[in-house]
Amino acid sequence: MAAGSPSVFLLMVNGQVESAQFPEYDDLYCKYCFVYGHDWAPTAGLEEGISQITSKSQDVRQALVWNFPIDVTFKSTNPFGWPQIVLSVYGPDVFGNDVVRGYGAVHVPLSPGRHRRTIPMFVPESTSKLQKFTSWFMGRRPEYTDPKVVAQGEGREGENIDRNSQTSLALSLPSPADAPFCPQ
């Protein structure tokens, strides 16, 4: 009996990081990256990117609009480790340094079609009063060295969820009938 190659499935994701609400901040930009399991591999597109800097709109909403495109295809033999998209938003502080204004993550939807997600954003907090004072004095807020840690549940006790800050994401997952043929 001959052993055949394992069958794979493709997950095509396209859409955009549309906009964000950060009432206290202006002139922000966004980074995205995907986090996925060991059986997953990107086959096309970009699995990370960085947007342009945007200013608040002049209307009542005062939205920060990026309309930053996302287009990536993954292949896998196992749904374990389903991809998540991690968003990091940065902007200038009073000293002109780029600092993190929020992190957020969401799983890529499981079903084909158009999907909208609103992602609440959070920032890490210092764990001691001395660290809080030092970060305030130096003008540097705590931030992750690797934003992919946001997709994990462990070690995220010291986070401050900002109820007013959120990012809007629109994704489209084609159905298998709509997907182009891609021999493996």
Side-chain angles (χ1 to χ4, degrees):
M1 179 194 269
S5 63
S7 61
V8 299
F9 63 91
L10 297 176
L11 174 64
M12 297 170 51
V13 181
N14 57 43
Q16 60 187 354
V17 180
E18 291 183 328
S19 62
Q21 295 290 328
F22 282 83
E24 299 176 16
Y25 305 114
D26 201 3
D27 300 327
L28 303 181
Y29 63 95
C30 178
K31 292 182 181 181
Y32 78 85
C33 65
F34 283 91
V35 177
Y36 43 85
H38 297 297
D39 291 337
W40 292 81
T43 60
L46 298 174
E47 57 183 305
E48 61 183 37
I50 183 169
S51 75
Q52 77 280 7
I53 296 173
T54 189
S55 298
K56 288 182 184 176
S57 62
Q58 300 301 313
D59 62 3
V60 177
R61 295 182 314 130
Q62 292 191 328
L64 296 150
V65 178
W66 290 297
N67 291 330
F68 184 51
I70 297 171
D71 189 11
V72 64
T73 302
F74 295 99
K75 74 175 180 178
S76 181
T77 58
N78 184 351
F80 181 77
W82 193 264
Q84 296 181 64
I85 185 168
V86 175
L87 300 175
S88 309
V89 176
Y90 296 87
D93 64 6
V94 294
F95 304 110
N97 300 316
D98 278 353
V99 295
V100 68
R101 295 300 184 194
Y103 293 107
V106 67
H107 278 92
V108 171
L110 296 171
S111 60
R114 295 177 187 259
H115 303 272
R116 289 199 174 281
R117 298 291 185 259
T118 300
I119 305 167
M121 304 301 281
F122 69 90
V123 292
E125 285 188 341
S126 299
T127 54
S128 74
K129 291 185 187 282
L130 178 61
Q131 288 175 329
K132 286 180 184 179
F133 174 74
T134 304
S135 66
W136 173 81
F137 183 72
M138 300 296 287
R140 297 297 297 175
R141 298 175 72 173
E143 61 183 82
Y144 297 118
T145 54
D146 183 5
K148 291 182 178 184
V149 74
V150 173
Q152 302 170 356
E154 311 86 42
R156 290 185 39 199
E157 295 81 24
E159 294 172 355
N160 179 20
I161 295 180
D162 186 347
R163 303 281 181 224
N164 298 320
S165 299
Q166 60 189 26
T167 303
S168 298
L169 182 67
L171 297 174
S172 178
L173 283 73
S175 67
D178 298 334
F181 176 70
C182 185
Q184 295 298 318

